[in-house]
Amino acid sequence: MQHIADETLMERIKTAQDREAFTMLMNRHKTHAYRLALQLTGDHDEAMDCAQEAFVKVFTRARRYEDGRQFWPWFVGILRNTVRMLRRTTWRRRKAGAEELIAGLPDHCDDPEAAARAAELWRRLFALPPKLREVMVLRHQEGFNYEQIAAVLGVSVNTVASRLHAARQRLAQDHEM
Amino acid sequence: MKCSEAKENLSRYLDGELPAAQAGELERHLADCAACRADLERWRTWGKELANMNFSGDHDRKLDVFETSVYARLERGIAWILLSLGGALVLASALFYAIRDVLLNPEIVWPMRIGLILLILALIILAVGVVRHRLSTYKSDKYKGVLR
Ligand SMILES: [Zn+2]
């Protein structure tokens, strides 16, 4: 079967509520969406919740999808917003740290030192305020440039730059890694 | 260039977002400043670590039924809309009968009638509150990221 572009699938969802196209789109991006949500929330269940809810919005708000717009950055904006709404309305308070998650990091069986370094890095990342953490995740996990991050967050490029700067400084604080 | 100035631009430089002129200036500083070079290197390493990271977990099974779960959510959403529409219709009719049969009936004792007025007022206030909350979440949702 030939590959159909995300944007074409979105068109079909938008114009005909095409469920087949929607299923295809979910199948293609669910794992990536879930992983991204995991890095934004630091919690498996919340991440799954947000990833699914974000796709619900893709379907119910397909009309707002502008033709020719790249699907993934648009979706990331929706997902990030869903995470933020959940954080605002949830009655659960965030668990301290994300130890459970860090325990699930893959073993660098050949290099315990590298494993410890990675765990420490994630511990610090999850200790950052959400605004600083999300720019790091979007920059490094998604490889977005400043303009793309600015579009997702609805802030200026300069704000993105200063948040990234602040995030990196905070990560380096306390003791050297 | 002093280290403090260099530090300001280091982050942008790492992300390839520093204009060429400033980048050249920064590179000259980096050439003979080991401290700033070390910062840059460390940040670059972190970036790679963050990019390559995968958390394992027991959610593979949930990912298998991801599509089905999303469709179930969509249907629940429709059910909620029907439920609130139905509820609103039933409530409105109940109010109509209450007003017609109780409020305007002189045979019914006045505490009962005053009580009914209070109940209706309370319902209206609650409904307005719910609608306003809905609208505000809808708005902040629509203008994702809201500038601030
Ligand atoms: Zn320096």
Side-chain angles (χ1 to χ4, degrees):
Chain A
M1 197 176 69
Q2 77 186 87
H3 187 85
I4 306 170
D6 292 344
E7 290 70 24
T8 313
L9 293 175
M10 264 324 288
E11 284 308 302
R12 289 192 197 165
I13 297 166
K14 183 178 174 178
T15 51
Q17 284 89 49
D18 187 337
R19 289 197 164 213
E20 203 186 328
F22 185 49
T23 307
M24 243 181 190
L25 201 61
M26 284 195 279
N27 192 275
R28 198 177 283 173
H29 295 291
K30 60 185 178 180
T31 309
H32 190 178
Y34 169 65
R35 288 214 179 113
L36 177 57
L38 192 55
Q39 303 202 338
L40 290 174
T41 60
D43 180 278
H44 281 291
D45 291 326
E46 278 180 19
M48 189 58 80
D49 204 29
C50 289
Q52 292 184 355
E53 205 50 46
F55 271 109
V56 167
K57 289 179 188 162
V58 165
F59 194 79
T60 54
R61 294 169 196 189
R63 261 173 306 144
R64 294 193 208 155
Y65 175 79
E66 300 150 37
D67 299 355
R69 184 150 182 205
Q70 255 193 306
F71 169 74
W72 184 251
W74 179 71
F75 177 81
V76 170
I78 295 178
L79 180 64
R80 178 265 179 185
N81 240 20
T82 310
V83 169
R84 214 179 53 140
M85 295 298 277
L86 179 86
R87 198 178 290 136
R88 191 186 293 162
T89 55
T90 194
W91 53 271
R92 285 176 287 179
R93 288 298 6 121
R94 291 280 336 108
K95 283 173 264 169
E99 287 307 315
E100 189 196 349
L101 209 60
I102 289 160
L105 284 170
D107 297 326
H108 297 249
C109 34
D110 46 334
D111 193 351
E113 226 174 274
R117 241 192 354 258
E120 178 60 21
L121 176 58
W122 279 100
R123 204 165 284 131
R124 289 186 189 196
L125 192 79
F126 282 120
L128 289 178
K131 274 184 185 174
L132 297 187
R133 188 170 71 223
E134 67 189 3
V135 286
M136 286 295 278
V137 170
L138 292 176
R139 174 74 196 103
H140 292 298
Q141 181 69 20
E142 295 308 314
F144 283 2
N145 61 30
Y146 285 16
E147 213 180 309
Q148 288 172 310
I149 300 174
V152 166
L153 302 183
V155 299
S156 71
V157 167
N158 276 328
T159 304
V160 173
S162 64
R163 281 186 193 169
L164 272 166
H165 182 69
R168 286 169 174 146
Q169 300 243 290
R170 292 269 289 257
L171 285 176
Q173 258 170 22
D174 303 333
H175 53 95
E176 301 296 296
M177 261 167 58
Chain B
M1 184 187 268
K2 279 181 280 184
C3 278
S4 55
E5 291 172 57
K7 287 243 156 60
E8 285 301 311
N9 287 335
L10 214 50
S11 193
R12 272 180 189 266
Y13 176 74
L14 172 69
D15 295 324
E17 303 264 353
L18 198 63
Q22 282 167 281
E25 222 179 301
L26 182 65
E27 275 163 6
R28 279 194 291 285
H29 175 82
L30 287 171
D32 40 45
C33 178
C36 285
R37 270 205 312 274
D39 266 0
L40 185 69
E41 240 357 271
R42 183 167 46 193
W43 289 354
R44 187 170 284 148
T45 315
W46 287 349
K48 280 188 202 136
E49 295 256 18
L50 295 180
N52 295 331
M53 200 49 63
N54 271 327
F55 296 103
S56 60
D58 50 0
H59 277 64
D60 291 350
R61 215 171 38 81
K62 285 198 183 171
L63 275 175
D64 285 343
V65 295
F66 190 95
E67 293 86 342
T68 329
S69 310
V70 171
Y71 281 119
R73 275 171 191 257
L74 274 168
E75 274 151 28
R76 274 206 302 276
I78 293 167
W80 274 113
I81 291 171
L82 293 178
L83 202 67
S84 34
L85 274 178
L89 281 175
V90 168
L91 197 67
S93 326
L95 279 177
F96 171 78
Y97 285 119
I99 289 167
R100 198 191 61 183
D101 297 346
V102 180
L103 217 52
L104 305 178
N105 184 347
E107 280 169 29
I108 289 186
V109 291
W110 61 265
M112 174 73 174
R113 282 192 270 166
I114 290 178
L116 187 64
I117 291 172
L118 294 179
L119 283 178
I120 291 173
L121 276 178
L123 278 176
I124 290 171
I125 292 170
L126 285 176
V128 168
V130 168
V131 168
R132 200 189 298 149
H133 178 75
R134 282 267 138 187
L135 280 179
S136 73
T137 52
Y138 173 79
K139 253 189 207 152
S140 57
D141 219 25
K142 184 171 159 200
Y143 303 109
K144 47 181 205 227
V146 190
L147 289 156
R148 102 178 45 143

